[in-house]
Amino acid sequence: MDHHPLPRRTPGSSGRRLTVPEVPPGAPSRALRKRAADGWERFMRRADFRAEGSPE
C-alpha cells in the first residue's frame, strides 16, 4: 500500500481575500440600519402599549 503524504503547505496568503460587499454611495451603514431597526421596534412596542392601554 503506497502512502502519499499530503502536499507541504507554505505559510502565507492562499490568494483568497475576505472582502466586504460594496456599499453603494449614499447607502446607510450597517450600524445605522441596526439603530433604525431598534428604534422602529421600540416605536411599535409603544404604539401597541398605547392601543391596549388608555384610549388616546
Side-chain angles (χ1 to χ4, degrees):
M1 175 154 119
D2 286 329
H3 183 307
H4 297 286
L6 293 173
R8 201 179 243 320
R9 292 197 57 193
T10 55
S13 171
S14 66
R16 294 181 67 187
R17 296 274 180 260
L18 179 64
T19 58
V20 177
E22 282 294 317
V23 179
S29 68
R30 173 180 232 119
L32 181 60
R33 290 197 315 265
K34 171 105 175 71
R35 243 177 42 218
D38 290 345
W40 180 251
E41 285 176 25
R42 209 164 40 244
F43 171 79
M44 291 304 287
R45 264 185 267 133
R46 278 195 199 136
D48 287 343
F49 177 74
R50 288 186 182 183
E52 292 171 2
S54 62
E56 278 188 72

mmCIF file of all heavy atoms in Angstrom:
data_model
loop_
_atom_site.group_PDB
_atom_site.id
_atom_site.type_symbol
_atom_site.label_atom_id
_atom_site.label_comp_id
_atom_site.label_asym_id
_atom_site.label_seq_id
_atom_site.Cartn_x
_atom_site.Cartn_y
_atom_site.Cartn_z
ATOM 1 N N MET A 1 0.855 -1.188 0.000
ATOM 2 C CA MET A 1 0.000 0.000 0.000
ATOM 3 C C MET A 1 0.885 1.230 0.000
ATOM 4 O O MET A 1 1.681 1.422 0.897
ATOM 5 C CB MET A 1 -0.873 -0.043 1.244
ATOM 6 C CG MET A 1 -1.705 1.173 1.396
ATOM 7 S SD MET A 1 -3.141 0.737 2.345
ATOM 8 C CE MET A 1 -3.041 1.734 3.741
ATOM 9 N N ASP A 2 0.757 2.021 -1.049
ATOM 10 C CA ASP A 2 1.538 3.257 -1.130
ATOM 11 C C ASP A 2 0.861 4.323 -0.293
ATOM 12 O O ASP A 2 -0.354 4.527 -0.376
ATOM 13 C CB ASP A 2 1.642 3.749 -2.579
ATOM 14 C CG ASP A 2 2.587 2.899 -3.395
ATOM 15 O OD1 ASP A 2 3.546 2.375 -2.798
ATOM 16 O OD2 ASP A 2 2.349 2.762 -4.602
ATOM 17 N N HIS A 3 1.648 5.026 0.480
ATOM 18 C CA HIS A 3 1.117 6.118 1.301
ATOM 19 C C HIS A 3 1.705 7.413 0.773
ATOM 20 O O HIS A 3 2.900 7.633 0.843
ATOM 21 C CB HIS A 3 1.496 5.912 2.764
ATOM 22 C CG HIS A 3 0.927 6.965 3.661
ATOM 23 N ND1 HIS A 3 1.100 8.292 3.450
ATOM 24 C CD2 HIS A 3 0.179 6.872 4.786
ATOM 25 C CE1 HIS A 3 0.497 8.976 4.398
ATOM 26 N NE2 HIS A 3 -0.074 8.125 5.230
ATOM 27 N N HIS A 4 0.834 8.270 0.236
ATOM 28 C CA HIS A 4 1.294 9.561 -0.283
ATOM 29 C C HIS A 4 0.948 10.641 0.731
ATOM 30 O O HIS A 4 -0.226 10.876 0.989
ATOM 31 C CB HIS A 4 0.624 9.875 -1.625
ATOM 32 C CG HIS A 4 0.966 8.892 -2.690
ATOM 33 N ND1 HIS A 4 2.191 8.868 -3.302
ATOM 34 C CD2 HIS A 4 0.251 7.889 -3.239
ATOM 35 C CE1 HIS A 4 2.207 7.898 -4.186
ATOM 36 N NE2 HIS A 4 1.043 7.279 -4.161
ATOM 37 N N PRO A 5 1.962 11.273 1.282
ATOM 38 C CA PRO A 5 1.666 12.345 2.238
ATOM 39 C C PRO A 5 1.022 13.532 1.523
ATOM 40 O O PRO A 5 1.181 13.697 0.319
ATOM 41 C CB PRO A 5 3.037 12.722 2.791
ATOM 42 C CG PRO A 5 4.007 12.272 1.757
ATOM 43 C CD PRO A 5 3.379 11.098 1.058
ATOM 44 N N LEU A 6 0.304 14.295 2.275
ATOM 45 C CA LEU A 6 -0.314 15.489 1.707
ATOM 46 C C LEU A 6 0.773 16.455 1.255
ATOM 47 O O LEU A 6 1.868 16.458 1.814
ATOM 48 C CB LEU A 6 -1.191 16.175 2.754
ATOM 49 C CG LEU A 6 -2.431 15.402 3.187
ATOM 50 C CD1 LEU A 6 -3.112 16.099 4.350
ATOM 51 C CD2 LEU A 6 -3.392 15.242 2.033
ATOM 52 N N PRO A 7 0.481 17.266 0.251
ATOM 53 C CA PRO A 7 1.500 18.231 -0.182
ATOM 54 C C PRO A 7 1.820 19.207 0.940
ATOM 55 O O PRO A 7 0.955 19.564 1.736
ATOM 56 C CB PRO A 7 0.851 18.946 -1.358
ATOM 57 C CG PRO A 7 -0.577 18.574 -1.351
ATOM 58 C CD PRO A 7 -0.749 17.359 -0.504
ATOM 59 N N ARG A 8 3.074 19.594 1.002
ATOM 60 C CA ARG A 8 3.514 20.515 2.041
ATOM 61 C C ARG A 8 2.942 21.902 1.795
ATOM 62 O O ARG A 8 2.940 22.372 0.672
ATOM 63 C CB ARG A 8 5.032 20.596 2.013
ATOM 64 C CG ARG A 8 5.623 21.092 3.297
ATOM 65 C CD ARG A 8 7.122 21.113 3.174
ATOM 66 N NE ARG A 8 7.933 20.288 4.018
ATOM 67 C CZ ARG A 8 7.761 20.018 5.306
ATOM 68 N NH1 ARG A 8 6.708 20.429 5.936
ATOM 69 N NH2 ARG A 8 8.624 19.319 5.965
ATOM 70 N N ARG A 9 2.379 22.491 2.843
ATOM 71 C CA ARG A 9 1.811 23.843 2.712
ATOM 72 C C ARG A 9 2.812 24.859 3.209
ATOM 73 O O ARG A 9 3.458 24.649 4.213
ATOM 74 C CB ARG A 9 0.535 23.961 3.546
ATOM 75 C CG ARG A 9 -0.579 23.103 2.973
ATOM 76 C CD ARG A 9 -1.897 23.506 3.517
ATOM 77 N NE ARG A 9 -2.121 24.915 3.231
ATOM 78 C CZ ARG A 9 -3.078 25.633 3.793
ATOM 79 N NH1 ARG A 9 -3.869 25.094 4.674
ATOM 80 N NH2 ARG A 9 -3.245 26.894 3.501
ATOM 81 N N THR A 10 2.888 25.931 2.485
ATOM 82 C CA THR A 10 3.775 27.001 2.923
ATOM 83 C C THR A 10 2.927 28.075 3.573
ATOM 84 O O THR A 10 1.822 28.371 3.110
ATOM 85 C CB THR A 10 4.559 27.595 1.730
ATOM 86 O OG1 THR A 10 3.614 28.010 0.754
ATOM 87 C CG2 THR A 10 5.504 26.584 1.128
ATOM 88 N N PRO A 11 3.384 28.656 4.669
ATOM 89 C CA PRO A 11 2.595 29.706 5.315
ATOM 90 C C PRO A 11 2.482 30.926 4.418
ATOM 91 O O PRO A 11 3.346 31.175 3.591
ATOM 92 C CB PRO A 11 3.393 30.023 6.582
ATOM 93 C CG PRO A 11 4.760 29.517 6.330
ATOM 94 C CD PRO A 11 4.651 28.421 5.318
ATOM 95 N N GLY A 12 1.416 31.632 4.598
ATOM 96 C CA GLY A 12 1.231 32.855 3.819
ATOM 97 C C GLY A 12 -0.138 32.903 3.189
ATOM 98 O O GLY A 12 -1.008 32.083 3.474
ATOM 99 N N SER A 13 -0.308 33.836 2.322
ATOM 100 C CA SER A 13 -1.595 34.079 1.694
ATOM 101 C C SER A 13 -1.981 32.927 0.787
ATOM 102 O O SER A 13 -1.169 32.390 0.044
ATOM 103 C CB SER A 13 -1.510 35.374 0.886
ATOM 104 O OG SER A 13 -2.673 35.520 0.121
ATOM 105 N N SER A 14 -3.256 32.550 0.839
ATOM 106 C CA SER A 14 -3.747 31.481 -0.035
ATOM 107 C C SER A 14 -4.277 32.054 -1.341
ATOM 108 O O SER A 14 -4.697 31.310 -2.210
ATOM 109 C CB SER A 14 -4.852 30.705 0.667
ATOM 110 O OG SER A 14 -5.963 31.540 0.866
ATOM 111 N N GLY A 15 -4.305 33.376 -1.423
ATOM 112 C CA GLY A 15 -4.845 34.003 -2.622
ATOM 113 C C GLY A 15 -6.282 34.446 -2.437
ATOM 114 O O GLY A 15 -6.792 35.245 -3.187
ATOM 115 N N ARG A 16 -6.954 33.901 -1.427
ATOM 116 C CA ARG A 16 -8.332 34.315 -1.157
ATOM 117 C C ARG A 16 -8.320 35.547 -0.275
ATOM 118 O O ARG A 16 -7.497 35.687 0.603
ATOM 119 C CB ARG A 16 -9.096 33.192 -0.474
ATOM 120 C CG ARG A 16 -9.268 31.990 -1.379
ATOM 121 C CD ARG A 16 -10.039 30.901 -0.705
ATOM 122 N NE ARG A 16 -11.412 31.347 -0.480
ATOM 123 C CZ ARG A 16 -12.308 30.662 0.205
ATOM 124 N NH1 ARG A 16 -11.990 29.516 0.728
ATOM 125 N NH2 ARG A 16 -13.516 31.125 0.381
ATOM 126 N N ARG A 17 -9.257 36.399 -0.493
ATOM 127 C CA ARG A 17 -9.348 37.631 0.287
ATOM 128 C C ARG A 17 -10.745 37.734 0.874
ATOM 129 O O ARG A 17 -11.722 37.444 0.185
ATOM 130 C CB ARG A 17 -9.101 38.858 -0.599
ATOM 131 C CG ARG A 17 -7.710 38.917 -1.172
ATOM 132 C CD ARG A 17 -6.773 39.587 -0.191
ATOM 133 N NE ARG A 17 -5.431 39.661 -0.722
ATOM 134 C CZ ARG A 17 -4.459 38.831 -0.394
ATOM 135 N NH1 ARG A 17 -4.691 37.859 0.428
ATOM 136 N NH2 ARG A 17 -3.265 38.976 -0.898
ATOM 137 N N LEU A 18 -10.834 38.146 2.118
ATOM 138 C CA LEU A 18 -12.129 38.425 2.727
ATOM 139 C C LEU A 18 -12.510 39.826 2.291
ATOM 140 O O LEU A 18 -11.828 40.784 2.628
ATOM 141 C CB LEU A 18 -12.023 38.348 4.247
ATOM 142 C CG LEU A 18 -13.311 38.639 5.007
ATOM 143 C CD1 LEU A 18 -14.364 37.581 4.684
ATOM 144 C CD2 LEU A 18 -13.048 38.668 6.496
ATOM 145 N N THR A 19 -13.574 39.910 1.528
ATOM 146 C CA THR A 19 -13.971 41.228 1.029
ATOM 147 C C THR A 19 -15.329 41.608 1.593
ATOM 148 O O THR A 19 -16.222 40.773 1.715
ATOM 149 C CB THR A 19 -14.044 41.248 -0.509
ATOM 150 O OG1 THR A 19 -14.961 40.247 -0.927
ATOM 151 C CG2 THR A 19 -12.687 41.010 -1.136
ATOM 152 N N VAL A 20 -15.468 42.841 1.933
ATOM 153 C CA VAL A 20 -16.734 43.383 2.398
ATOM 154 C C VAL A 20 -17.520 43.757 1.149
ATOM 155 O O VAL A 20 -16.967 44.365 0.236
ATOM 156 C CB VAL A 20 -16.494 44.617 3.285
ATOM 157 C CG1 VAL A 20 -17.806 45.240 3.714
ATOM 158 C CG2 VAL A 20 -15.656 44.246 4.487
ATOM 159 N N PRO A 21 -18.796 43.385 1.076
ATOM 160 C CA PRO A 21 -19.565 43.739 -0.125
ATOM 161 C C PRO A 21 -19.577 45.247 -0.354
ATOM 162 O O PRO A 21 -19.614 46.013 0.605
ATOM 163 C CB PRO A 21 -20.976 43.234 0.164
ATOM 164 C CG PRO A 21 -20.937 42.553 1.478
ATOM 165 C CD PRO A 21 -19.570 42.683 2.061
ATOM 166 N N GLU A 22 -19.534 45.618 -1.615
ATOM 167 C CA GLU A 22 -19.535 47.042 -1.967
ATOM 168 C C GLU A 22 -20.845 47.690 -1.531
ATOM 169 O O GLU A 22 -21.917 47.176 -1.815
ATOM 170 C CB GLU A 22 -19.381 47.197 -3.480
ATOM 171 C CG GLU A 22 -17.958 47.014 -3.964
ATOM 172 C CD GLU A 22 -17.039 48.110 -3.462
ATOM 173 O OE1 GLU A 22 -17.437 49.295 -3.481
ATOM 174 O OE2 GLU A 22 -15.927 47.786 -3.047
ATOM 175 N N VAL A 23 -20.740 48.789 -0.842
ATOM 176 C CA VAL A 23 -21.923 49.545 -0.429
ATOM 177 C C VAL A 23 -22.087 50.692 -1.420
ATOM 178 O O VAL A 23 -21.154 51.449 -1.639
ATOM 179 C CB VAL A 23 -21.732 50.095 1.006
ATOM 180 C CG1 VAL A 23 -22.950 50.905 1.422
ATOM 181 C CG2 VAL A 23 -21.493 48.968 1.977
ATOM 182 N N PRO A 24 -23.262 50.796 -2.025
ATOM 183 C CA PRO A 24 -23.447 51.888 -2.975
ATOM 184 C C PRO A 24 -23.339 53.247 -2.284
ATOM 185 O O PRO A 24 -23.667 53.366 -1.107
ATOM 186 C CB PRO A 24 -24.856 51.667 -3.531
ATOM 187 C CG PRO A 24 -25.493 50.646 -2.672
ATOM 188 C CD PRO A 24 -24.432 49.959 -1.885
ATOM 189 N N PRO A 25 -22.871 54.260 -2.985
ATOM 190 C CA PRO A 25 -22.744 55.584 -2.376
ATOM 191 C C PRO A 25 -24.094 56.090 -1.872
ATOM 192 O O PRO A 25 -25.105 55.919 -2.538
ATOM 193 C CB PRO A 25 -22.235 56.473 -3.517
ATOM 194 C CG PRO A 25 -21.875 55.579 -4.634
ATOM 195 C CD PRO A 25 -22.472 54.230 -4.373
ATOM 196 N N GLY A 26 -24.091 56.652 -0.684
ATOM 197 C CA GLY A 26 -25.318 57.186 -0.110
ATOM 198 C C GLY A 26 -26.131 56.171 0.672
ATOM 199 O O GLY A 26 -27.123 56.525 1.285
ATOM 200 N N ALA A 27 -25.724 54.905 0.645
ATOM 201 C CA ALA A 27 -26.460 53.877 1.388
ATOM 202 C C ALA A 27 -26.105 53.972 2.869
ATOM 203 O O ALA A 27 -24.969 54.282 3.215
ATOM 204 C CB ALA A 27 -26.101 52.494 0.856
ATOM 205 N N PRO A 28 -27.071 53.701 3.743
ATOM 206 C CA PRO A 28 -26.789 53.771 5.179
ATOM 207 C C PRO A 28 -25.848 52.645 5.608
ATOM 208 O O PRO A 28 -25.878 51.565 5.033
ATOM 209 C CB PRO A 28 -28.163 53.602 5.826
ATOM 210 C CG PRO A 28 -29.013 52.959 4.800
ATOM 211 C CD PRO A 28 -28.456 53.355 3.465
ATOM 212 N N SER A 29 -25.045 52.928 6.600
ATOM 213 C CA SER A 29 -24.116 51.917 7.095
ATOM 214 C C SER A 29 -24.883 50.847 7.864
ATOM 215 O O SER A 29 -26.035 51.029 8.239
ATOM 216 C CB SER A 29 -23.093 52.565 8.023
ATOM 217 O OG SER A 29 -23.734 52.998 9.210
ATOM 218 N N ARG A 30 -24.212 49.724 8.103
ATOM 219 C CA ARG A 30 -24.823 48.626 8.858
ATOM 220 C C ARG A 30 -25.220 49.093 10.256
ATOM 221 O O ARG A 30 -26.295 48.759 10.752
ATOM 222 C CB ARG A 30 -23.834 47.462 8.921
ATOM 223 C CG ARG A 30 -24.303 46.357 9.812
ATOM 224 C CD ARG A 30 -23.303 45.213 9.856
ATOM 225 N NE ARG A 30 -23.998 43.988 9.559
ATOM 226 C CZ ARG A 30 -23.747 43.188 8.548
ATOM 227 N NH1 ARG A 30 -22.786 43.459 7.729
ATOM 228 N NH2 ARG A 30 -24.455 42.112 8.357
ATOM 229 N N ALA A 31 -24.350 49.873 10.916
ATOM 230 C CA ALA A 31 -24.632 50.364 12.267
ATOM 231 C C ALA A 31 -25.877 51.253 12.269
ATOM 232 O O ALA A 31 -26.722 51.160 13.160
ATOM 233 C CB ALA A 31 -23.433 51.124 12.817
ATOM 234 N N LEU A 32 -26.000 52.099 11.250
ATOM 235 C CA LEU A 32 -27.153 52.992 11.172
ATOM 236 C C LEU A 32 -28.437 52.197 10.936
ATOM 237 O O LEU A 32 -29.470 52.461 11.552
ATOM 238 C CB LEU A 32 -26.958 54.023 10.057
ATOM 239 C CG LEU A 32 -28.080 55.040 9.892
ATOM 240 C CD1 LEU A 32 -28.270 55.850 11.171
ATOM 241 C CD2 LEU A 32 -27.784 55.961 8.735
ATOM 242 N N ARG A 33 -28.375 51.199 10.070
ATOM 243 C CA ARG A 33 -29.556 50.367 9.818
ATOM 244 C C ARG A 33 -29.971 49.621 11.074
ATOM 245 O O ARG A 33 -31.162 49.501 11.372
ATOM 246 C CB ARG A 33 -29.277 49.375 8.681
ATOM 247 C CG ARG A 33 -29.164 50.027 7.320
ATOM 248 C CD ARG A 33 -29.290 49.032 6.186
ATOM 249 N NE ARG A 33 -28.535 47.825 6.369
ATOM 250 C CZ ARG A 33 -27.314 47.600 5.890
ATOM 251 N NH1 ARG A 33 -26.709 48.536 5.190
ATOM 252 N NH2 ARG A 33 -26.707 46.461 6.096
ATOM 253 N N LYS A 34 -28.991 49.138 11.857
ATOM 254 C CA LYS A 34 -29.291 48.433 13.119
ATOM 255 C C LYS A 34 -29.974 49.376 14.094
ATOM 256 O O LYS A 34 -30.967 49.017 14.722
ATOM 257 C CB LYS A 34 -27.992 47.878 13.703
ATOM 258 C CG LYS A 34 -28.106 47.326 15.092
ATOM 259 C CD LYS A 34 -28.086 45.825 15.102
ATOM 260 C CE LYS A 34 -28.080 45.238 16.496
ATOM 261 N NZ LYS A 34 -29.316 45.385 17.208
ATOM 262 N N ARG A 35 -29.432 50.593 14.225
ATOM 263 C CA ARG A 35 -30.029 51.579 15.136
ATOM 264 C C ARG A 35 -31.456 51.909 14.723
ATOM 265 O O ARG A 35 -32.357 52.029 15.559
ATOM 266 C CB ARG A 35 -29.183 52.845 15.143
ATOM 267 C CG ARG A 35 -28.595 53.129 16.485
ATOM 268 C CD ARG A 35 -27.702 54.323 16.541
ATOM 269 N NE ARG A 35 -28.152 55.482 15.813
ATOM 270 C CZ ARG A 35 -27.352 56.292 15.136
ATOM 271 N NH1 ARG A 35 -26.066 56.064 15.080
ATOM 272 N NH2 ARG A 35 -27.820 57.339 14.517
ATOM 273 N N ALA A 36 -31.673 52.055 13.420
ATOM 274 C CA ALA A 36 -33.008 52.382 12.915
ATOM 275 C C ALA A 36 -33.982 51.239 13.208
ATOM 276 O O ALA A 36 -35.122 51.478 13.617
ATOM 277 C CB ALA A 36 -32.950 52.659 11.418
ATOM 278 N N ALA A 37 -33.537 50.007 13.022
ATOM 279 C CA ALA A 37 -34.399 48.853 13.290
ATOM 280 C C ALA A 37 -34.755 48.777 14.770
ATOM 281 O O ALA A 37 -35.918 48.522 15.129
ATOM 282 C CB ALA A 37 -33.705 47.568 12.849
ATOM 283 N N ASP A 38 -33.776 49.019 15.638
ATOM 284 C CA ASP A 38 -34.040 49.009 17.084
ATOM 285 C C ASP A 38 -35.045 50.101 17.453
ATOM 286 O O ASP A 38 -35.958 49.881 18.241
ATOM 287 C CB ASP A 38 -32.754 49.203 17.879
ATOM 288 C CG ASP A 38 -31.836 47.985 17.794
ATOM 289 O OD1 ASP A 38 -32.315 46.913 17.368
ATOM 290 O OD2 ASP A 38 -30.643 48.117 18.152
ATOM 291 N N GLY A 39 -34.875 51.282 16.888
ATOM 292 C CA GLY A 39 -35.790 52.390 17.153
ATOM 293 C C GLY A 39 -37.201 52.082 16.659
ATOM 294 O O GLY A 39 -38.181 52.407 17.321
ATOM 295 N N TRP A 40 -37.298 51.429 15.505
ATOM 296 C CA TRP A 40 -38.609 51.090 14.952
ATOM 297 C C TRP A 40 -39.320 50.093 15.859
ATOM 298 O O TRP A 40 -40.515 50.212 16.129
ATOM 299 C CB TRP A 40 -38.443 50.524 13.541
ATOM 300 C CG TRP A 40 -39.750 50.160 12.912
ATOM 301 C CD1 TRP A 40 -40.220 48.918 12.666
ATOM 302 C CD2 TRP A 40 -40.765 51.066 12.459
ATOM 303 N NE1 TRP A 40 -41.456 48.981 12.087
ATOM 304 C CE2 TRP A 40 -41.826 50.287 11.947
ATOM 305 C CE3 TRP A 40 -40.887 52.444 12.437
ATOM 306 C CZ2 TRP A 40 -42.979 50.849 11.425
ATOM 307 C CZ3 TRP A 40 -42.045 53.002 11.912
ATOM 308 C CH2 TRP A 40 -43.066 52.217 11.411
ATOM 309 N N GLU A 41 -38.576 49.087 16.364
ATOM 310 C CA GLU A 41 -39.180 48.104 17.269
ATOM 311 C C GLU A 41 -39.694 48.793 18.532
ATOM 312 O O GLU A 41 -40.790 48.491 19.008
ATOM 313 C CB GLU A 41 -38.156 47.033 17.650
ATOM 314 C CG GLU A 41 -37.889 46.055 16.532
ATOM 315 C CD GLU A 41 -36.811 45.058 16.897
ATOM 316 O OE1 GLU A 41 -36.604 44.813 18.101
ATOM 317 O OE2 GLU A 41 -36.176 44.533 15.965
ATOM 318 N N ARG A 42 -38.908 49.708 19.060
ATOM 319 C CA ARG A 42 -39.312 50.428 20.267
ATOM 320 C C ARG A 42 -40.580 51.245 19.986
ATOM 321 O O ARG A 42 -41.520 51.273 20.778
ATOM 322 C CB ARG A 42 -38.160 51.339 20.723
ATOM 323 C CG ARG A 42 -38.138 51.578 22.195
ATOM 324 C CD ARG A 42 -36.830 52.145 22.702
ATOM 325 N NE ARG A 42 -36.217 53.146 21.846
ATOM 326 C CZ ARG A 42 -35.039 52.992 21.244
ATOM 327 N NH1 ARG A 42 -34.337 51.899 21.383
ATOM 328 N NH2 ARG A 42 -34.552 53.955 20.501
ATOM 329 N N PHE A 43 -40.609 51.910 18.835
ATOM 330 C CA PHE A 43 -41.764 52.710 18.437
ATOM 331 C C PHE A 43 -43.017 51.837 18.333
ATOM 332 O O PHE A 43 -44.082 52.196 18.839
ATOM 333 C CB PHE A 43 -41.469 53.385 17.089
ATOM 334 C CG PHE A 43 -42.663 54.055 16.483
ATOM 335 C CD1 PHE A 43 -43.075 55.291 16.924
ATOM 336 C CD2 PHE A 43 -43.377 53.427 15.464
ATOM 337 C CE1 PHE A 43 -44.189 55.912 16.357
ATOM 338 C CE2 PHE A 43 -44.481 54.038 14.904
ATOM 339 C CZ PHE A 43 -44.890 55.284 15.349
ATOM 340 N N MET A 44 -42.882 50.673 17.707
ATOM 341 C CA MET A 44 -44.033 49.784 17.531
ATOM 342 C C MET A 44 -44.515 49.244 18.879
ATOM 343 O O MET A 44 -45.720 49.103 19.097
ATOM 344 C CB MET A 44 -43.688 48.629 16.583
ATOM 345 C CG MET A 44 -43.481 49.078 15.141
ATOM 346 S SD MET A 44 -44.888 49.978 14.459
ATOM 347 C CE MET A 44 -46.058 48.657 14.244
ATOM 348 N N ARG A 45 -43.576 48.945 19.770
ATOM 349 C CA ARG A 45 -43.976 48.468 21.101
ATOM 350 C C ARG A 45 -44.772 49.539 21.830
ATOM 351 O O ARG A 45 -45.776 49.249 22.467
ATOM 352 C CB ARG A 45 -42.744 48.076 21.929
ATOM 353 C CG ARG A 45 -42.485 46.585 21.847
ATOM 354 C CD ARG A 45 -41.358 46.177 22.762
ATOM 355 N NE ARG A 45 -40.127 46.190 21.987
ATOM 356 C CZ ARG A 45 -38.984 46.745 22.367
ATOM 357 N NH1 ARG A 45 -38.875 47.320 23.523
ATOM 358 N NH2 ARG A 45 -37.930 46.710 21.596
ATOM 359 N N ARG A 46 -44.321 50.791 21.746
ATOM 360 C CA ARG A 46 -45.046 51.891 22.388
ATOM 361 C C ARG A 46 -46.436 52.051 21.790
ATOM 362 O O ARG A 46 -47.406 52.280 22.505
ATOM 363 C CB ARG A 46 -44.284 53.209 22.222
ATOM 364 C CG ARG A 46 -43.193 53.360 23.223
ATOM 365 C CD ARG A 46 -42.725 54.797 23.253
ATOM 366 N NE ARG A 46 -41.410 54.837 23.868
ATOM 367 C CZ ARG A 46 -40.394 55.542 23.429
ATOM 368 N NH1 ARG A 46 -40.524 56.300 22.372
ATOM 369 N NH2 ARG A 46 -39.245 55.509 24.048
ATOM 370 N N ALA A 47 -46.535 51.929 20.468
ATOM 371 C CA ALA A 47 -47.830 52.056 19.804
ATOM 372 C C ALA A 47 -48.771 50.948 20.271
ATOM 373 O O ALA A 47 -49.955 51.206 20.539
ATOM 374 C CB ALA A 47 -47.649 52.000 18.292
ATOM 375 N N ASP A 48 -48.262 49.718 20.391
ATOM 376 C CA ASP A 48 -49.082 48.605 20.877
ATOM 377 C C ASP A 48 -49.520 48.848 22.315
ATOM 378 O O ASP A 48 -50.657 48.597 22.684
ATOM 379 C CB ASP A 48 -48.322 47.280 20.789
ATOM 380 C CG ASP A 48 -48.184 46.786 19.357
ATOM 381 O OD1 ASP A 48 -48.924 47.280 18.487
ATOM 382 O OD2 ASP A 48 -47.336 45.901 19.126
ATOM 383 N N PHE A 49 -48.611 49.334 23.132
ATOM 384 C CA PHE A 49 -48.906 49.591 24.544
ATOM 385 C C PHE A 49 -50.005 50.630 24.674
ATOM 386 O O PHE A 49 -50.953 50.465 25.431
ATOM 387 C CB PHE A 49 -47.638 50.072 25.266
ATOM 388 C CG PHE A 49 -47.876 50.415 26.713
ATOM 389 C CD1 PHE A 49 -48.071 49.415 27.646
ATOM 390 C CD2 PHE A 49 -47.910 51.738 27.136
ATOM 391 C CE1 PHE A 49 -48.293 49.731 28.985
ATOM 392 C CE2 PHE A 49 -48.131 52.054 28.459
ATOM 393 C CZ PHE A 49 -48.321 51.039 29.391
ATOM 394 N N ARG A 50 -49.907 51.688 23.871
ATOM 395 C CA ARG A 50 -50.940 52.746 23.918
ATOM 396 C C ARG A 50 -52.270 52.246 23.412
ATOM 397 O O ARG A 50 -53.317 52.637 23.911
ATOM 398 C CB ARG A 50 -50.482 53.967 23.129
ATOM 399 C CG ARG A 50 -49.392 54.714 23.842
ATOM 400 C CD ARG A 50 -49.046 55.978 23.139
ATOM 401 N NE ARG A 50 -47.954 56.627 23.863
ATOM 402 C CZ ARG A 50 -47.449 57.778 23.538
ATOM 403 N NH1 ARG A 50 -47.906 58.433 22.495
ATOM 404 N NH2 ARG A 50 -46.474 58.307 24.239
ATOM 405 N N ALA A 51 -52.260 51.382 22.416
ATOM 406 C CA ALA A 51 -53.507 50.848 21.855
ATOM 407 C C ALA A 51 -54.216 49.970 22.898
ATOM 408 O O ALA A 51 -55.447 49.991 22.996
ATOM 409 C CB ALA A 51 -53.228 50.055 20.593
ATOM 410 N N GLU A 52 -53.451 49.208 23.669
ATOM 411 C CA GLU A 52 -54.044 48.335 24.675
ATOM 412 C C GLU A 52 -54.426 49.103 25.937
ATOM 413 O O GLU A 52 -55.372 48.760 26.609
ATOM 414 C CB GLU A 52 -53.050 47.230 25.065
ATOM 415 C CG GLU A 52 -52.796 46.246 23.957
ATOM 416 C CD GLU A 52 -51.661 45.297 24.280
ATOM 417 O OE1 GLU A 52 -51.112 45.397 25.400
ATOM 418 O OE2 GLU A 52 -51.314 44.472 23.423
ATOM 419 N N GLY A 53 -53.642 50.134 26.252
ATOM 420 C CA GLY A 53 -53.831 50.889 27.488
ATOM 421 C C GLY A 53 -54.983 51.860 27.415
ATOM 422 O O GLY A 53 -56.140 51.486 27.207
ATOM 423 N N SER A 54 -54.684 53.121 27.559
ATOM 424 C CA SER A 54 -55.723 54.149 27.587
ATOM 425 C C SER A 54 -56.087 54.606 26.179
ATOM 426 O O SER A 54 -55.223 54.714 25.313
ATOM 427 C CB SER A 54 -55.229 55.355 28.394
ATOM 428 O OG SER A 54 -54.098 55.901 27.773
ATOM 429 N N PRO A 55 -57.346 54.862 25.930
ATOM 430 C CA PRO A 55 -57.748 55.363 24.594
ATOM 431 C C PRO A 55 -57.356 56.829 24.428
ATOM 432 O O PRO A 55 -57.840 57.675 25.134
ATOM 433 C CB PRO A 55 -59.271 55.188 24.596
ATOM 434 C CG PRO A 55 -59.665 55.161 26.031
ATOM 435 C CD PRO A 55 -58.481 54.641 26.803
ATOM 436 N N GLU A 56 -56.429 57.081 23.505
ATOM 437 C CA GLU A 56 -55.990 58.465 23.255
ATOM 438 C C GLU A 56 -56.266 58.851 21.833
ATOM 439 O O GLU A 56 -56.138 58.162 20.920
ATOM 440 C CB GLU A 56 -54.500 58.611 23.551
ATOM 441 C CG GLU A 56 -54.240 58.813 25.023
ATOM 442 C CD GLU A 56 -52.774 59.147 25.265
ATOM 443 O OE1 GLU A 56 -52.354 60.255 24.925
ATOM 444 O OE2 GLU A 56 -52.074 58.288 25.768
#
